Every structure is written in C-alpha cells, then in structure tokens.
Amino acid sequence: MSSNTFQRYLDKTRSLADINAATAVLSWDQETYMPQGAAMGRAEQLSTLSALVHQMSVDGEYRALLEELRQSTELEEWQRHAVRESSRDQDLARKLPEEHVREFARATSLAHHAWKQARAESNFSLFADALTQLVELKRREAGYYGFTENPYDALIDLYEPGMTVAQLRPVFERLLEGTRAILTRINESEASVDDTILYRHYDKERQLEFARRTVATLGFDFNTGRVDLSAHPFCTSFAPSDVRLTTRVYEDDMRTCLFGLIHEAGHGMYEQGFDERFARTPLASGTSMGIHESQSLFWENMVARSQPFWNWAFPELQSTFKESLADVTATDFYRAINVVKPSFIRIEADELTYNMHIIIRFEIEEALISGRMEVADIPAVWNRKMEEYLGITPANDAEGCLQDIHWSFGGFGYFPSYTLGKLYAAIFYSQVVSEIPDLEEQIARGEFAPLLAWLRGKVHIWGKCRRASELVMEICGKPLSAEPFLDYMTAKVGRVYDLPAGVAASEPAGESR
Ligand code: ZN
C-alpha cells in the first residue's frame, strides 16, 4: 500500500461527509425555519444531494481504494475501523438494485399519504393495500441484503448492526414477564400518585429558559450546539462542533419541553464527544440506534427522573413557577413524573410500559417480514396483544395500529432500538454506580461533570469503532439482558408508590439508585 492511499481515502470520505452534513443542514432548516412554500424546491435539493452521495459511494475507483485498504496491514486500529464502516456503507448501497430503490420511493410516498388519511379517519383498510406493498418490498430488500436465519434480521441490522431476532426474543420475553410482575405489584398495592401538578399552567418562555439552563448544566456545550423549536423534537449533527437540538413547549404540560430537551441533549452530548481524529469519517457517528437512544434515555430517565436530581433542581423549578408549584414538594414532583400507567399511545407511555408498545410492534413486524402474518390481520393482533400485555384495548385504529409514522416510510426494524436503548442505559447505569459510588450525592449537588466524563471515556469517544455488543461487554463485562432494567424499575416503582418492603427487594435502603 502506498503511503498516500489512506490519505486518498480520507479525501474521499471527507467529501462524502461534507455533502451529508450539507444535507443535514437543509433537513434541519426544513423542520425549523423554512417557509412552507419552499417545500418542493427543498425536496429537489435533497434528492439531488442524495443521488450524488450514492454515486460517489459506489464509484469504481472508491471501491478499488477500499479493497486495497482492506488488504493493508499498515493501518492503525481506528483507520481499520473507518475502512470497515465505509465498506459496510458501500456494500449496503450496492446491494439494492436501482429499480428497487425507485419503486420503494414511489411506494413510500403513496403509503405515507394513505396512512395519513387512514389515521385521520381511523380506518385501517385505507392503509392496508399500500402497507401490503411496502411489506412485500421490505421482504425483497431483506433478500437483497442477505440473512442467515430470519429475513427480519437483515432489517434490524440497518439500525442495530449485528443484532438478530434470536438474540432479542429471549430478552424481550424476560422483559415482558418482569414488567407484568411489576405492574401486578402496583395494582395490588392500590397505591396511587397524583400527577395533575404537571398539567397546571407553565409559562412557555420560562419553560424554555429553564430547560436550556438545565441541559447546559448537564454538559451540553452551547459553544458547539444550539436549541430551536420544531413540531417534532430531534437532534441532528453536522459535525461534533455543530450539534442542533429542537424541542416543543406546551403551556399545560410541563414534561414535554424539559424532558424532551434533556432527551435530545443526551443524543447531542454523544455527538459532541467523538474522538477528534474521526471528524468527517463514518466513525463520527453513533454506533447503533440503540446505543444512541441509551445516551438520551440515560440523562432523561436515570438522571433527570431521579429523586437526587430533583432534590437539587426542584427549588429552582419552584421559584421559576411560583404560582403552579407553591404547594408541591420535591418528592411530590418526583413521584408525578414517574407515574406508571398503561396507555394506548407509545410516545406518551411511561418508562416501564413503553417497552410493551415496542414488543408488540417487534412481534408484528417479525411475523409480517417472515411471511407468517397478513397485513389485514394487524388490527386484530394489535388489539389482542394490547389486552394481553397491558390490559387495555384501543377503541379504534387511530389509537391502535395506525398511531406511528414508521411503517408508512418502511421503517421496519427500527422499533427494537427504542427498547434496546432503555436496556443499554440501565446496564450502563448499574456499572457507573459501581465505579462512581457517590454518583447520587454528586447529582444531588448538581455536579454532572464526572458522570459526563465517564460516558465520554467509555461510550462517546469510540464513535462507530465499537459495535453495541462489544461496548456493553467491554464496559460492563456482561451481555445484553433485561435484568438491570427490571432491577432499576423495581427500585424506582417501590419508591414512587411507597410500596411495602420486599417489593423493591433489589434496592438497598435509603436513596441509592
Ligand atoms: Zn431519542
């Protein structure tokens, strides 16, 4: 290998990264400031850029370059990982025939339209034909990508490289069983928590100001990031030196802005923390959707929905919203934001029952892609599973199987990432409390730098160098399982509902964990 081969690769991958970053700027603008009338023109700009990226990434010279680098024995470790990731991107791009890509684009555009109408009228049959076609195309796509056991594996792999149905199923089964046991304990205790304080009046400007201050204190760097408003909150990154968050604010629900922004800031701090050498290469990216989600959920749930956090933050929240919180204590507030209650809509679900929504979608997607289930059966199967797992039955398809946008854009395989994020976050949490024994005291003093430094060193810095399973094994010395999450939830629910001793058996006395 000539010494400048890697340099030629860097030139190429940096150009690709720059175009992808420009695409991300245009998409961010589309969701935040773009006037509505610009939609057509923006769609054309985005499509031109994406065609350009596709051409550049499958280009013959680039392929030869990557092939040469894969044979090389002279690369440093991080350079080998960069070449591996570029090769993976190229393989994925080359495996789909152009005709399939075009057909899929047409089908999703029709399906998206059909889904919107079906949801508005709460009538699944209006979406069924378009969805049947998408399922067929995704089954074909799984064949193009290739798989050894289950065609659904090929689709999960797009979001969670290396993950399979065979690995997920037993973990999800244990999670299902453990969650039902916790729900039964809450029901049998007949304890209840008043969460109406969250829906009093909260001034929008002050909510936004409080949320910004909070994420800055947690460690989101405003020198390399900013916050704007959008209809659907998200985090996007153009480079580790330019990370954008969005949130939305409701006057009569104070959870949305604050917890939404903390969540996105968790994603953002991951993006701000990659090794500098990885800039403008495929390594400057989250290693999987599940690990990305674990970083947002870690800050949102483990930190910002904990009692120590509110022991520190509540006095300031109370003085910001004197009229609404004068009669409330930090513990009342902590309990209100942790209420557990089965509900129909996934994005409104609490920390515990949320996973049941995901398991239902996972089971349905797996059966559809494996060809063991027909699209027409979705509403009945959905409702039966909601009843079986959560004890409630949706009154109509709009609050049942039509609620999510994901299937309308063919996003099969994405849903498991959400629950994986929760499980990874709990695994990391159980590890960090063993390595920083006074973590809760630090949080109760509003000190987050040591925690952020831990996440930086163990997770963020690696970018895409480590696969999710390698990260988890390396950091915690154990594989993915539902146990740390169930232990964490058992302890939390015990405190929130003041359940008698023995219920929160895994929790040590006092305020730990
Ligand atoms: Zn997220």
Side-chain angles (χ1 to χ4, degrees):
M1 185 188 78
S2 70
S3 62
N4 69 1
T5 310
F6 191 76
Q7 189 54 48
R8 281 198 290 133
Y9 158 74
L10 277 184
D11 292 345
K12 184 85 182 178
T13 196
R14 284 172 179 166
S15 302
L16 274 166
D18 291 345
I19 300 173
N20 283 327
T23 305
V25 176
L26 292 177
S27 302
W28 168 83
D29 173 69
Q30 178 172 289
E31 302 298 323
T32 49
Y33 295 106
M34 188 187 82
Q36 238 183 0
M40 282 288 253
R42 182 56 46 88
E44 278 158 15
Q45 294 151 5
L46 288 170
S47 141
T48 299
L49 287 177
S50 105
L52 182 60
V53 164
H54 182 80
Q55 266 167 31
M56 287 173 67
S57 47
V58 300
D59 159 82
E61 197 187 319
Y62 185 41
R63 263 160 59 197
L65 188 60
L66 285 174
E67 179 57 36
E68 188 184 341
L69 286 166
R70 277 198 303 274
Q71 309 297 331
S72 166
T73 50
E74 295 161 32
L75 297 181
E76 292 176 38
E77 194 193 339
W78 76 270
Q79 295 175 329
R80 280 205 314 277
H81 291 306
V83 170
R84 179 196 67 194
E85 287 306 315
S86 290
S87 302
R88 174 180 151 93
D89 291 346
Q90 186 174 74
D91 279 352
L92 289 173
R94 290 186 62 218
K95 278 177 176 168
L96 295 186
E98 261 185 67
E99 177 49 33
H100 176 83
V101 174
R102 270 198 299 274
E103 199 179 339
F104 185 70
R106 266 196 306 274
T108 47
S109 136
L110 288 174
H112 186 68
H113 184 74
W115 167 71
K116 269 183 159 167
Q117 203 186 346
R119 192 173 69 155
E121 297 182 27
S122 193
N123 180 354
F124 183 78
S125 67
L126 297 177
F127 182 41
D129 286 349
L131 185 57
T132 303
Q133 203 201 346
L134 277 188
V135 169
E136 190 40 50
L137 287 167
K138 290 308 276 191
R139 282 165 53 91
R140 215 183 294 164
E141 195 174 307
Y144 291 134
Y145 288 135
F147 57 90
T148 42
E149 255 178 58
N150 190 316
Y152 188 46
D153 290 346
L155 304 183
I156 297 174
D157 185 76
L158 297 174
Y159 307 104
E160 197 66 24
M163 185 54 71
T164 61
V165 172
Q167 292 175 67
L168 279 177
R169 214 191 290 275
V171 174
F172 280 7
E173 272 164 16
R174 172 69 190 112
L175 182 60
L176 182 60
E177 172 198 49
T179 299
R180 288 161 105 178
I182 297 174
L183 285 175
T184 304
R185 283 162 162 175
I186 298 175
N187 288 339
E188 284 175 354
S189 78
E190 288 175 16
S192 73
V193 168
D194 175 18
D195 64 348
T196 55
I197 51 176
L198 305 173
Y199 313 109
R200 293 173 177 175
H201 180 268
Y202 295 90
D203 176 76
K204 282 187 174 183
E205 277 305 314
R206 275 185 278 160
Q207 281 194 58
L208 198 53
E209 180 47 37
F210 185 86
R212 283 165 169 280
R213 245 189 353 254
T214 304
V215 299
T217 310
L218 295 179
F220 180 74
D221 184 355
F222 276 87
N223 187 42
T224 56
R226 58 172 285 136
V227 172
D228 295 271
L229 294 174
S230 71
H232 303 283
F234 63 93
C235 162
T236 184
S237 161
F238 316 140
S241 57
D242 193 351
V243 177
R244 309 295 176 95
L245 314 179
T246 71
T247 188
R248 57 184 166 188
V249 197
Y250 298 130
E251 235 160 36
D252 57 357
D253 184 347
M254 64 80 58
R255 299 168 309 164
T256 312
C257 174
L258 179 62
F259 292 101
L261 193 62
I262 293 171
H263 180 100
E264 299 309 333
H267 284 302
M269 287 187 271
Y270 187 14
E271 294 282 336
Q272 287 175 330
F274 303 135
D275 189 318
E276 282 173 11
R277 288 174 302 175
F278 305 165
R280 298 160 78 208
T281 78
L283 297 181
S285 168
T287 190
S288 74
M289 294 309 296
I291 294 292
H292 226 306
E293 199 59 16
S294 78
Q295 297 310 291
S296 56
L297 292 170
F298 193 100
W299 291 99
E300 181 193 347
N301 293 334
M302 273 70 186
V303 176
R305 283 186 210 272
S306 73
Q307 175 90 56
F309 181 85
W310 287 104
N311 289 348
W312 164 70
F314 191 73
E316 198 179 330
L317 186 76
Q318 196 173 36
S319 76
T320 307
F321 301 102
K322 290 190 192 73
E323 336 72 51
S324 298
L325 291 175
D327 58 339
V328 176
T329 67
T331 300
D332 296 337
F333 187 77
Y334 162 73
R335 288 185 163 151
I337 56 172
N338 284 296
V339 159
V340 171
K341 191 170 173 228
S343 60
F344 297 114
I345 305 296
R346 175 183 60 88
I347 60 167
E348 291 166 8
D350 59 75
E351 217 179 326
L352 180 70
T353 61
Y354 184 93
N355 299 311
M356 302 299 97
H357 295 262
I358 296 304
I359 292 174
I360 289 171
R361 287 154 177 80
F362 163 77
E363 291 175 345
I364 290 177
E365 287 190 355
E366 192 276 325
L368 287 170
I369 300 297
S370 300
R372 286 184 285 103
M373 184 179 152
E374 297 291 328
V375 163
D377 297 330
I378 292 176
V381 173
W382 183 288
N383 292 354
R384 200 184 64 233
K385 285 182 188 286
M386 281 294 287
E387 181 59 45
E388 195 185 333
Y389 300 167
L390 287 172
I392 54 176
T393 308
N396 55 56
D397 293 342
E399 66 175 24
C401 62
L402 286 173
Q403 64 183 275
D404 300 305
I405 194 172
H406 301 59
W407 290 344
S408 80
F409 65 77
F412 295 89
Y414 191 103
F415 282 121
S417 314
Y418 294 117
T419 283
L420 281 169
K422 284 198 156 54
L423 304 183
Y424 292 143
I427 294 175
F428 293 150
Y429 194 77
S430 70
Q431 186 63 27
V432 72
V433 291
S434 74
E435 292 183 28
I436 309 182
D438 67 336
L439 181 71
E440 300 212 331
E441 287 80 1
Q442 292 181 13
I443 292 176
R445 290 195 299 268
E447 289 171 22
F448 305 100
L451 174 58
L452 179 58
W454 191 89
L455 290 168
R456 279 271 139 87
K458 304 276 182 177
V459 182
H460 303 178
I461 193 87
W462 294 106
K464 252 187 173 163
C465 276
R466 301 267 182 280
R467 287 273 190 259
S469 57
E470 292 168 345
L471 263 187
V472 169
M473 188 51 91
E474 216 171 80
I475 298 171
C476 310
K478 51 192 168 206
L480 173 70
S481 85
E483 243 43 61
F485 176 79
L486 290 169
D487 288 348
Y488 155 80
M489 278 314 308
T490 302
K492 185 180 252 192
V493 158
R495 251 201 324 258
V496 168
Y497 286 89
D498 210 5
L499 298 180
V503 171
S506 61
E507 180 186 28
E511 284 300 340
S512 61
R513 200 163 42 195

